Tab-separated table of all heavy atoms in Angstrom:
chain	number	residue	atom	x	y	z
A	519	THR	N	-31.412	12.664	23.741
A	519	THR	CA	-32.384	11.712	23.206
A	519	THR	C	-32.993	10.882	24.328
A	519	THR	O	-32.282	10.411	25.210
A	519	THR	CB	-31.696	10.751	22.212
A	519	THR	OG1	-31.110	11.514	21.172
A	519	THR	CG2	-32.691	9.772	21.599
A	520	VAL	N	-34.324	10.719	24.294
A	520	VAL	CA	-35.014	9.904	25.291
A	520	VAL	C	-35.942	8.941	24.565
A	520	VAL	O	-36.550	9.294	23.557
A	520	VAL	CB	-35.874	10.793	26.233
A	520	VAL	CG1	-36.372	9.996	27.413
A	520	VAL	CG2	-35.100	11.996	26.699
A	521	GLN	N	-36.047	7.741	25.092
A	521	GLN	CA	-36.966	6.767	24.503
A	521	GLN	C	-38.323	6.870	25.215
A	521	GLN	O	-38.363	7.075	26.429
A	521	GLN	CB	-36.394	5.357	24.670
A	521	GLN	CG	-37.170	4.302	23.886
A	521	GLN	CD	-36.600	2.908	24.091
A	521	GLN	OE1	-35.910	2.652	25.075
A	521	GLN	NE2	-36.877	2.002	23.170
A	522	ALA	N	-39.402	6.726	24.456
A	522	ALA	CA	-40.743	6.760	25.053
A	522	ALA	C	-41.586	5.646	24.458
A	522	ALA	O	-41.570	5.436	23.246
A	522	ALA	CB	-41.398	8.114	24.789
A	523	MET	N	-42.326	4.940	25.328
A	523	MET	CA	-43.108	3.798	24.866
A	523	MET	C	-44.553	4.192	24.541
A	523	MET	O	-45.308	3.385	24.010
A	523	MET	CB	-43.131	2.687	25.934
A	523	MET	CG	-41.757	2.332	26.512
A	523	MET	SD	-40.545	1.866	25.251
A	523	MET	CE	-41.159	0.246	24.838
A	524	SER	N	-44.912	5.417	24.905
A	524	SER	CA	-46.293	5.850	24.661
A	524	SER	C	-46.307	7.360	24.441
A	524	SER	O	-45.312	8.035	24.707
A	524	SER	CB	-47.165	5.526	25.888
A	524	SER	OG	-46.688	6.282	26.989
A	525	VAL	N	-47.441	7.867	24.005
A	525	VAL	CA	-47.580	9.310	23.814
A	525	VAL	C	-47.389	10.025	25.149
A	525	VAL	O	-46.705	11.047	25.235
A	525	VAL	CB	-48.958	9.641	23.191
A	525	VAL	CG1	-49.114	11.156	23.022
A	525	VAL	CG2	-49.127	8.938	21.850
A	526	ALA	N	-47.963	9.447	26.203
A	526	ALA	CA	-47.858	10.073	27.529
A	526	ALA	C	-46.398	10.164	27.967
A	526	ALA	O	-45.932	11.195	28.474
A	526	ALA	CB	-48.664	9.271	28.547
A	527	GLU	N	-45.670	9.085	27.745
A	527	GLU	CA	-44.252	9.082	28.115
A	527	GLU	C	-43.471	10.123	27.312
A	527	GLU	O	-42.555	10.766	27.826
A	527	GLU	CB	-43.643	7.693	27.853
A	527	GLU	CG	-43.511	6.841	29.116
A	527	GLU	CD	-42.811	5.512	28.829
A	527	GLU	OE1	-41.694	5.518	28.268
A	527	GLU	OE2	-43.397	4.476	29.147
A	528	ALA	N	-43.870	10.264	26.051
A	528	ALA	CA	-43.199	11.248	25.195
A	528	ALA	C	-43.425	12.656	25.728
A	528	ALA	O	-42.494	13.468	25.808
A	528	ALA	CB	-43.697	11.128	23.761
A	529	VAL	N	-44.650	12.922	26.109
A	529	VAL	CA	-44.977	14.249	26.645
A	529	VAL	C	-44.202	14.494	27.925
A	529	VAL	O	-43.619	15.569	28.134
A	529	VAL	CB	-46.499	14.371	26.886
A	529	VAL	CG1	-46.812	15.668	27.650
A	529	VAL	CG2	-47.250	14.330	25.556
A	530	GLU	N	-44.151	13.474	28.761
A	530	GLU	CA	-43.430	13.568	30.035
A	530	GLU	C	-41.953	13.906	29.798
A	530	GLU	O	-41.374	14.716	30.504
A	530	GLU	CB	-43.547	12.201	30.724
A	530	GLU	CG	-43.298	12.212	32.217
A	530	GLU	CD	-43.475	10.783	32.745
A	530	GLU	OE1	-44.520	10.155	32.417
A	530	GLU	OE2	-42.552	10.305	33.411
A	531	ALA	N	-41.379	13.281	28.770
A	531	ALA	CA	-39.954	13.471	28.479
A	531	ALA	C	-39.637	14.925	28.153
A	531	ALA	O	-38.534	15.407	28.431
A	531	ALA	CB	-39.533	12.574	27.320
A	532	THR	N	-40.599	15.632	27.580
A	532	THR	CA	-40.315	16.990	27.113
A	532	THR	C	-40.074	17.965	28.259
A	532	THR	O	-39.566	19.062	28.040
A	532	THR	CB	-41.474	17.537	26.263
A	532	THR	OG1	-42.644	17.608	27.087
A	532	THR	CG2	-41.727	16.684	25.055
A	533	ALA	N	-40.421	17.549	29.473
A	533	ALA	CA	-40.256	18.431	30.636
A	533	ALA	C	-38.816	18.915	30.758
A	533	ALA	O	-38.562	20.047	31.151
A	533	ALA	CB	-40.680	17.699	31.909
A	534	THR	N	-37.863	18.024	30.420
A	534	THR	CA	-36.447	18.391	30.579
A	534	THR	C	-35.803	18.743	29.248
A	534	THR	O	-34.586	18.828	29.143
A	534	THR	CB	-35.672	17.211	31.209
A	534	THR	OG1	-35.868	16.058	30.366
A	534	THR	CG2	-36.151	16.920	32.613
A	535	MET	N	-36.598	18.923	28.193
A	535	MET	CA	-36.009	19.166	26.869
A	535	MET	C	-36.416	20.526	26.321
A	535	MET	O	-37.404	21.095	26.744
A	535	MET	CB	-36.428	18.057	25.894
A	535	MET	CG	-35.950	16.679	26.344
A	535	MET	SD	-36.484	15.366	25.246
A	535	MET	CE	-35.038	15.126	24.261
A	536	THR	N	-35.621	20.987	25.360
A	536	THR	CA	-35.877	22.306	24.782
A	536	THR	C	-36.437	22.157	23.368
A	536	THR	O	-35.816	21.506	22.524
A	536	THR	CB	-34.554	23.108	24.716
A	536	THR	OG1	-33.895	22.969	25.977
A	536	THR	CG2	-34.815	24.569	24.423
A	537	PHE	N	-37.609	22.746	23.142
A	537	PHE	CA	-38.189	22.748	21.792
A	537	PHE	C	-37.359	23.659	20.901
A	537	PHE	O	-36.722	24.585	21.422
A	537	PHE	CB	-39.640	23.245	21.854
A	537	PHE	CG	-40.597	22.208	22.395
A	537	PHE	CD1	-40.901	22.162	23.762
A	537	PHE	CD2	-41.175	21.266	21.536
A	537	PHE	CE1	-41.775	21.211	24.256
A	537	PHE	CE2	-42.063	20.318	22.055
A	537	PHE	CZ	-42.361	20.291	23.413
A	538	PRO	N	-37.359	23.453	19.589
A	538	PRO	CA	-38.077	22.419	18.841
A	538	PRO	C	-37.463	21.031	19.050
A	538	PRO	O	-36.275	20.908	19.279
A	538	PRO	CB	-37.919	22.862	17.391
A	538	PRO	CG	-36.645	23.649	17.370
A	538	PRO	CD	-36.569	24.323	18.703
A	539	LEU	N	-38.369	20.033	18.922
A	539	LEU	CA	-37.940	18.653	19.131
A	539	LEU	C	-38.138	17.836	17.858
A	539	LEU	O	-38.754	18.284	16.884
A	539	LEU	CB	-38.740	18.035	20.280
A	539	LEU	CG	-38.549	18.690	21.663
A	539	LEU	CD1	-39.455	18.021	22.698
A	539	LEU	CD2	-37.087	18.619	22.120
A	540	VAL	N	-37.609	16.633	17.919
A	540	VAL	CA	-37.739	15.678	16.812
A	540	VAL	C	-38.268	14.385	17.413
A	540	VAL	O	-37.879	14.019	18.522
A	540	VAL	CB	-36.358	15.416	16.166
A	540	VAL	CG1	-36.459	14.390	15.055
A	540	VAL	CG2	-35.758	16.715	15.650
Side-chain angles (χ1 to χ4, degrees):
T519 302
V520 191
Q521 189 181 21
M523 312 304 286
S524 64
V525 179
E527 259 184 54
V529 171
E530 200 179 310
T532 62
T534 57
M535 299 178 99
T536 314
F537 284 92
L539 297 177
V540 178

